Amino acid sequence: MKLSNRIEQLAISPTRRYLGLAQEVEAAGTRVLRLSIGQPDIAAPNEYFEALGQLTRGTVPYPPAMGIPAMRKAQSDYYKKYGIDYAPEEIFITTGATEGITFAIQTLCDPGDAIMLIEPFYTNYGMIAQMQDVETVAITTSVHDNYSLPSLETFESLYSDNLRAILFANPGNPTGRVYTEEELQIIVDFALKHDLYVISDEVYREFNFTERPFVSMYDFEEIRDHLFLIDSASKKYALCGARVGSIATKNEYLKEAMVKLSQMRLGCPHAEQVAVAKLINLDDRYFDGVRELYRNRRDALREALEAVGTLEFSEPEGAFYTMIRLPVKNAEDYVVWLLKNFSIDHETVLLTPASGFYKTPGAGIDEVRVSYCVDADILRRAIHIVAEGLKEYPNN
C-alpha cells in the first residue's frame, strides 16, 4: 500500500516507542517503573469533576470555533495573575498545546521555510514541522553548562533567509532548564533583528524550582507583536486527557490567521472547556502544593543520581524532566535491554532514549530523558535498578 512520503518519513515518538514492550514485560510478571512520559500522577482538582457534573443535559451543539467565552476569559484572568495582559479576544482555545503549536507553524511558514529549535527539544516540535514540510535548524545546548543558551553570535551563525520563527519551551522539556532574563533577551534581539516570530511554549510555567522568578517572553514588550504564547491545562492541572490548550497573540494579522484555522477544525470539546474554565478560581495553595511535591521529587531524583556517581546529568530547574548521559554506546539499546533482561525484585524501568530530542546527527545517542512524575520512592528504586543494570550490561 502506498502512503504519503510525509507519513512514511515520520518517526514514532521516542516517549511512546516502547510502551508496547513494557506492557509485554508486565504481562510476563515484571512491574515496569515508567519514567518515560510526562504525565502527572496526581489527582486533577475536584472542581473540574464538579463542573462536568453540573452540565445541562440536552443538545450538545458546536462550540464557538475560537473557544467558549468562559474559557477565553478564564485564560485571560489566569494570565493576569502573572502580569500577562491578553484580552479574551486575543486568546484562542486549542486542542492541547500541540494544536496551538501546529497553528503557529502553519501560519508563519510555507513548505521549505524553516524554524529554529533549541536542542534538545520536545520531539513533537520536529514532527509537527516535518508534517508541514518545514525545515528545522538546531541551536545546540549541552549538559556541561546546564543547557544554557549560547551567545547571540551562535544564533547569527545559523541564520538563513528562509528562517521564519524560533520555537522553544520554558521551562524546558526535556532538559528541565528555566531560562534567565539575559538568555531570553538574546532570543528577542535575534528575532527582532531578522523580523522573526517567537513561539514560546510556557505550559510548565508553574514548575519553576529556582530562586529567581520565572520570566515569560511576554515580559519583553518589544517582542509582543512577534509573539505566539502557548499554554495548556494538561500539566498545571494534571488534565492531560482534557486536551484544552491555548495560543495567544496581540498581532492583528496573526489573530486573523487563528480565526481561520479555528474555524477550519470547527472547535474544541465544549464540556472540557466548561470544566477547565472553572479552575481559574482555584486557591493559589493548589499550585504551591503541587510545586512543592514536584520539587521534593526533583530532590529525590537528584540525590539518587548523585549517589550512583557515574551518571552525568544537569540540575533540573523546572518542569519535571532531566536528561542523563549513560556510560553506554547506545542508550536506546540499553533501554530495550533493561526492559527485557534485567530486574530487581520483579521490577524494571522504562526510560526514554534521547536521540529523538536532537536534530544534530549522533547527538543524544548515549542519553535518556527521565520524567519524575512518579512518587519519590519509585524514583529511588528506579535509579537503583538503572545503576545496577549498567553493571551487568554487556555494551558499556
Side-chain angles (χ1 to χ4, degrees):
M1 182 178 183
K2 179 66 173 72
L3 302 179
S4 70
N5 291 333
R6 180 184 290 108
I7 201 66
E8 291 282 8
Q9 295 169 6
L10 191 66
I12 296 174
S13 170
T15 61
R16 289 167 170 76
R17 186 175 300 156
Y18 296 111
L19 291 179
L21 178 58
Q23 291 170 351
E24 293 175 12
V25 170
E26 288 188 320
T30 299
R31 183 186 181 190
V32 177
L33 307 181
R34 288 172 166 79
L35 307 188
S36 56
I37 295 180
Q39 178 167 291
D41 64 335
I42 62 177
N46 287 331
E47 290 86 345
Y48 169 80
F49 300 102
E50 292 170 357
L52 287 176
Q54 294 171 3
L55 289 172
T56 303
R57 299 187 182 189
T59 302
V60 182
Y62 286 113
M66 281 68 77
I68 66 172
M71 186 62 231
R72 298 176 84 183
K73 183 179 187 304
Q75 187 66 24
S76 175
D77 291 343
Y78 162 80
Y79 276 143
K80 284 183 172 61
K81 295 181 179 180
Y82 293 89
I84 298 173
D85 185 20
Y86 282 113
E89 59 269 21
E90 296 172 325
I91 297 170
F92 301 83
I93 305 307
T94 57
T95 308
T98 300
E99 187 177 58
I101 294 166
T102 303
F103 279 4
I105 294 176
Q106 288 174 330
T107 296
L108 300 174
C109 299
D110 287 317
D113 286 341
I115 61 170
M116 180 174 283
L117 306 176
I118 299 170
E119 69 174 4
F121 50 80
Y122 176 46
T123 55
N124 274 14
Y125 293 167
M127 296 170 75
I128 293 168
Q130 182 180 345
M131 287 295 289
Q132 314 304 320
D133 293 321
V134 171
E135 299 174 9
T136 53
V137 178
I139 287 282
T140 302
T141 63
S142 171
V143 65
H144 299 304
D145 59 359
N146 204 26
Y147 300 105
S148 299
L149 291 186
S151 65
L152 179 59
E153 288 73 23
T154 301
F155 279 80
E156 290 288 352
S157 70
L158 293 171
Y159 175 75
S160 62
D161 288 341
N162 68 334
L163 189 62
R164 297 289 176 264
I166 307 168
L167 166 60
F168 67 99
N170 184 33
N173 174 9
T175 64
R177 180 62 205 272
V178 178
Y179 295 119
T180 66
E181 182 177 357
E182 292 75 18
E183 288 175 295
L184 295 175
Q185 186 68 60
I186 294 172
I187 294 176
V188 170
D189 293 344
F190 178 66
L192 291 178
K193 178 179 178 180
H194 297 289
D195 195 26
L196 304 176
Y197 288 84
V198 176
I199 308 167
S200 186
D201 181 351
E202 300 181 5
V203 303
Y204 298 99
R205 181 182 295 102
E206 282 76 19
F207 307 117
N208 171 24
F209 310 130
T210 71
E211 294 301 318
R212 60 183 185 270
F214 174 74
V215 180
S216 169
M217 283 303 285
Y218 181 88
D219 294 332
F220 298 87
E221 185 174 359
E222 66 269 34
I223 200 68
R224 290 176 189 169
D225 203 46
H226 283 66
L227 176 64
F228 271 129
L229 196 64
I230 304 293
D231 214 317
S232 171
S234 294
K235 311 301 181 179
K236 62 174 169 278
Y237 299 129
L239 286 171
C240 294
R243 309 312 303 136
V244 174
S246 67
I247 182 169
T249 180
K250 288 193 167 295
N251 185 300
E252 293 299 326
Y253 295 102
L254 300 185
K255 284 194 286 185
E256 183 178 346
M258 292 303 100
V259 171
K260 293 177 181 178
L261 289 168
S262 297
Q263 291 174 340
M264 181 191 68
R265 62 90 167 97
L266 302 182
C268 301
H270 178 269
E272 302 291 354
Q273 291 187 65
V274 170
V276 172
K278 295 291 185 180
L279 301 184
I280 186 60
N281 297 317
L282 276 180
D283 192 299
D284 287 343
R285 287 176 295 183
Y286 169 81
F287 289 123
D288 293 340
V290 172
R291 190 180 301 110
E292 187 62 22
L293 173 67
Y294 282 118
R295 181 184 286 109
N296 291 338
R297 291 177 174 183
R298 186 277 306 265
D299 293 344
L301 174 63
R302 180 181 56 196
E303 291 167 5
L305 292 172
E306 289 174 343
V308 175
T310 57
L311 302 177
E312 188 176 8
F313 66 99
S314 65
E315 170 71 16
E317 294 183 332
F320 28 66
Y321 309 100
T322 194
M323 298 279 277
I324 302 173
R325 178 164 288 156
L326 302 177
V328 299
K329 297 177 182 177
N330 187 298
E332 190 162 359
D333 291 344
Y334 178 68
V335 167
V336 175
W337 179 89
L338 190 68
L339 275 173
K340 288 184 173 181
N341 299 286
F342 190 82
S343 64
I344 295 177
D345 297 331
H346 303 291
E347 290 183 333
T348 189
V349 180
L350 175 58
L351 305 166
T352 299
S355 60
F357 295 95
Y358 289 85
K359 169 73 182 292
T360 302
I365 195 169
D366 58 351
E367 296 177 331
V368 293
R369 186 195 73 169
V370 167
S371 165
Y372 47 96
C373 286
V374 296
D375 184 77
D377 183 59
I378 293 177
L379 287 169
R380 296 185 187 97
R381 298 205 312 270
I383 297 305
H384 175 66
I385 293 169
V386 169
E388 291 302 305
L390 285 169
K391 296 176 182 179
E392 297 189 18
Y393 183 56
N395 295 321
N396 287 342

